[in-house]
Amino acid sequence: MAGNNRRRPRNNVTHLPRLSRTDQTMNEELEHDDDDVRVARPRKRGIYLLPNAFTTAALFCGFYAIVQAMNLRFEYAAIAIFCAMVLDGMDGRVARMTNTQSAFGEQYDSLSDMISFGAAPALVMYEWILRDLGKWGWLAAFVYCAGAALRLARFNTNIGVVDKRFFQGLASPAAAALIAGFVWLAIDNKLPVRDAWMPWVAFGLTVYAGASMVSNAPFYSGKALDVRHRVSFGMILLFMVGFVLVSSDPPVVLFCLFVAYSVSGYVVWAARAVRGRHTRIFGDVDLGGGDE
């Protein structure tokens, strides 16, 4: 009987106190908050294909221009820069027409412009003729390249501040077209300039294009034109005449067009100065320059 009177060992079980109704409610709220945190995970974001495809094509043309300049095929390099300019003008309009604007597209477009309209024209001009000037040659190329970088940076920070009808300074695609048109025209032997003067003419044009990009001269942007609106029949005829002129002699016509455009901003600035609306050519000031 002694064995039957032996006490059984107790199980090591700890009895927790019962939670009050308030504690249960707090635990349920914490679990609900955890579910909200799990649901609020960041979504994977993609990029729009159509406008960025045009930007990539423009970037390819700029890189192709650099490669052709290294291979001493400067005519192909100049044509590639013009192709990049056309593609760059299409990506923004396509994005606005299809409502596919994005912050990624804006940054990608700026980086592409720096290659196609900043580095490529400077390197093409240097490889073609500026290297004959030694130190002065690569300094002129650097002035252009730095001007393009400053122009793009200022454009990105002044979006929504300046008048959309005008660019603050010469746009980098127009400056690149000015350089590429000069190279293309000179290679075709259609410039009435002596060979001994050609490096210094190229030097002056390169510095002028670089300085114009960081100026405050108002250049017409063309953003007021909406391709979705109706136009008169005469406008269609004007475009047809433009195509005929460009196709008749592309290097001469394109270079003359962009020379006129590169001067137009200073003409507008001079006209505003005559009317009493003084605006500094260089420096960070508004384009208005006076009271309306």
Side-chain angles (χ1 to χ4, degrees):
M1 298 300 292
N4 294 333
N5 293 332
R6 192 175 295 172
R7 307 177 77 180
R8 294 181 179 179
R10 295 183 178 180
N11 296 329
N12 295 328
V13 178
T14 302
H15 296 281
L16 297 175
R18 291 185 178 180
L19 295 175
S20 63
R21 188 176 299 275
T22 304
D23 295 335
Q24 292 178 357
T25 304
M26 292 177 62
N27 290 336
E28 291 176 357
E29 292 179 353
L30 290 175
E31 292 177 358
H32 183 68
D33 292 341
D34 293 339
D35 294 338
D36 292 341
V37 172
R38 287 193 294 269
V39 171
R41 291 176 179 175
R43 297 174 57 187
K44 294 182 179 180
R45 295 183 179 180
I47 59 175
Y48 294 110
L49 176 62
L50 188 58
N52 290 301
F54 282 98
T55 306
T56 304
L59 176 61
F60 172 80
C61 290
F63 182 79
Y64 180 81
I66 295 175
V67 173
Q68 294 306 311
M70 295 170 62
N71 293 331
L72 304 181
R73 304 175 69 178
F74 301 107
E75 184 175 3
Y76 290 99
I79 295 174
I81 292 175
F82 277 107
C83 292
M85 182 190 66
V86 174
L87 293 169
D88 180 73
M90 294 176 64
D91 60 358
R93 294 188 179 274
V94 168
R96 288 188 291 270
M97 292 175 62
T98 58
N99 196 23
T100 54
Q101 304 99 317
S102 64
F104 174 85
E106 293 177 0
Q107 301 302 321
Y108 185 34
D109 182 69
S110 295
L111 295 173
S112 174
D113 289 351
M114 184 59 211
I115 299 297
S116 300
F117 310 127
L123 290 174
V124 170
M125 184 67 90
Y126 176 78
E127 288 291 332
W128 173 57
I129 201 168
L130 288 180
R131 64 165 53 247
D132 296 339
L133 298 178
K135 178 178 66 176
W136 293 105
W138 64 259
L139 283 176
F142 174 75
V143 167
Y144 177 90
C145 192
L150 293 172
R151 168 71 176 83
L152 292 169
R154 186 176 64 176
F155 176 80
N156 292 336
T157 56
N158 284 349
I159 294 178
V161 177
V162 298
D163 190 353
K164 292 184 178 180
R165 297 173 302 169
F166 295 93
F167 288 128
Q168 188 179 9
L170 184 64
S172 57
L178 190 65
I179 299 298
F182 180 80
V183 174
W184 193 3
L185 195 62
I187 290 176
D188 284 352
N189 296 320
K190 295 178 180 179
L191 277 179
V193 180
R194 295 181 181 179
D195 294 339
W197 295 354
M198 188 68 72
W200 290 108
V201 174
F203 173 88
L205 185 67
T206 304
V207 173
Y208 172 80
S212 296
M213 284 189 285
V214 297
S215 70
N216 278 321
F219 292 87
Y220 184 68
S221 64
K223 293 184 178 180
L225 298 176
D226 195 342
V227 295
R228 296 172 295 181
H229 293 170
R230 294 174 179 264
V231 295
S232 63
F233 185 74
M235 185 63 68
I236 301 298
L237 293 178
L238 184 61
F239 274 102
M240 291 176 59
V241 172
F243 281 122
V244 171
L245 290 176
V246 172
S247 61
S248 62
D249 200 342
V252 173
V253 176
L254 289 175
F255 181 69
C256 291
L257 286 176
F258 283 101
V259 166
Y261 179 75
S262 66
V263 177
S264 64
Y266 298 103
V267 174
V268 174
W269 170 81
R272 290 185 175 186
V274 170
R275 294 197 302 264
R277 300 176 59 190
H278 299 287
T279 303
R280 290 189 304 172
I281 299 181
F282 296 95
D284 292 332
V285 295
D286 295 334
L287 291 179
D291 298 333
E292 293 290 343

